[in-house]
């Protein structure tokens, strides 16, 4: 698709089944809607669309989906739910709002952008959070509140040291999978 006026998901579900499915405009997510990739293979968005997220993002995860490297603007504190496979957010995340990561089972959310403009914190509730850049967690507090199995990992292909030295609150156990080395920085840790 080559249209440039943007795609707004306001209700229901949207299956993004090609690398250019949502054209070249801004992709807006609102109202606790659902995205998926049912194409039968992994997809990475090729147009690196700018994105605006107004509400929770529910990724069904029939197949892996990489949202590309377009910048993501949060307009509210949101939850990201990954029900299966892997969702990758590679664009820089901005906005003074928090992200709550809630994955199911062995599913994964990958944050790999330069997120220094994202300031209100990241909470891992369950599943796997791949921290794939030195500023993936922004500048806010990193909180682990897992009530079920929680994992952190670095699958970037190289060692990473968090450069923003996030304050951390560990309210429950977690497992470091250790695909690559990960240094959580010098931020104070409260258990």
């Amino acid at each position: 698709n080559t249209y440039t006026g943007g795609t707004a998901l306001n209700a229901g579900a949207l299956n993004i089944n090609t690398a250019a499915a949502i054209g070249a405009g801004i992709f807006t997510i609102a109202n606790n809607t659902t995205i998926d990739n049912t194409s039968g293979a992994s997809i990475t968005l090729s147009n690196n669309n700018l994105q605006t997220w107004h509400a929770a993002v529910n990724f069904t995860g029939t197949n892996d989906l990489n949202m590309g490297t377009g910048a993501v603007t949060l307009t509210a504190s949101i939850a990201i739910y990954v029900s299966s496979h892997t969702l990758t957010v590679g664009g820089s995340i901005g906005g003074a709002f928090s992200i709550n990561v809630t994955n199911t089972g062995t599913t994964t959310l990958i944050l790999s952008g330069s997120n220094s403009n994202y300031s209100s914190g990241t909470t891992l509730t369950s599943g796997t959070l791949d921290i794939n850049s030195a500023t993936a967690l922004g500048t806010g507090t990193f909180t682990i509140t897992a009530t079920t199995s929680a994992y952190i990992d670095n699958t970037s292909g190289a060692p990473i040291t968090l450069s923003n030295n996030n304050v951390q609150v560990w309210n429950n156990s977690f497992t470091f999978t250790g695909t690559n080395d990960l240094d959580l920085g010098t931020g104070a840790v409260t258990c």
Side-chain angles (χ1 to χ4, degrees):
N1 295 329
T2 58
Y3 69 91
T4 60
T7 303
L9 177 58
N10 293 313
L14 177 66
N15 289 344
I16 301 172
N17 283 8
T18 70
I22 58 174
I26 296 174
F27 180 41
T28 303
I29 298 173
N31 299 326
N32 198 28
T33 48
T34 298
I35 58 174
D36 198 6
N37 163 21
T38 60
S39 69
S42 299
I43 285 177
T44 298
L45 295 186
S46 56
N47 288 329
N48 298 313
N49 306 73
L50 297 177
Q51 300 165 50
T52 302
W53 297 0
H54 297 296
V57 176
N58 298 287
F59 176 61
T60 306
T62 304
N63 303 110
D64 294 346
L65 179 63
N66 185 321
M67 299 296 290
T69 59
V72 176
T73 300
L74 305 179
T75 64
S77 295
I78 67 161
I80 301 176
Y81 301 98
V82 181
S83 298
S84 185
H85 287 87
T86 298
L87 176 67
T88 301
V89 181
S92 61
I93 298 172
F97 298 97
S98 61
I99 291 177
N100 187 314
V101 179
T102 303
N103 300 336
T104 303
T106 59
T107 60
T108 301
L109 172 69
I110 298 175
L111 297 179
S112 57
S114 176
N115 298 335
S116 292
N117 292 324
Y118 154 54
S119 60
S120 291
T122 305
T123 299
L124 174 61
T125 302
S126 61
T128 299
L129 175 63
D130 276 8
I131 301 170
N132 281 12
S133 81
T135 56
L137 301 179
T139 58
T141 300
F142 178 42
T143 304
I144 299 173
T145 61
T147 55
T148 59
S149 298
Y151 303 85
I152 59 174
D153 200 4
N154 165 20
T155 59
S156 68
I160 284 176
T161 298
L162 294 186
S163 57
N164 288 330
N165 298 313
N166 305 73
V167 171
Q168 299 167 51
V169 178
W170 298 355
N171 289 329
N172 215 324
S173 300
F174 66 93
T175 299
F176 174 58
T177 309
T179 303
N180 301 114
D181 294 345
L182 178 64
D183 185 329
L184 290 172
T186 58
V189 177
T190 301
C191 296

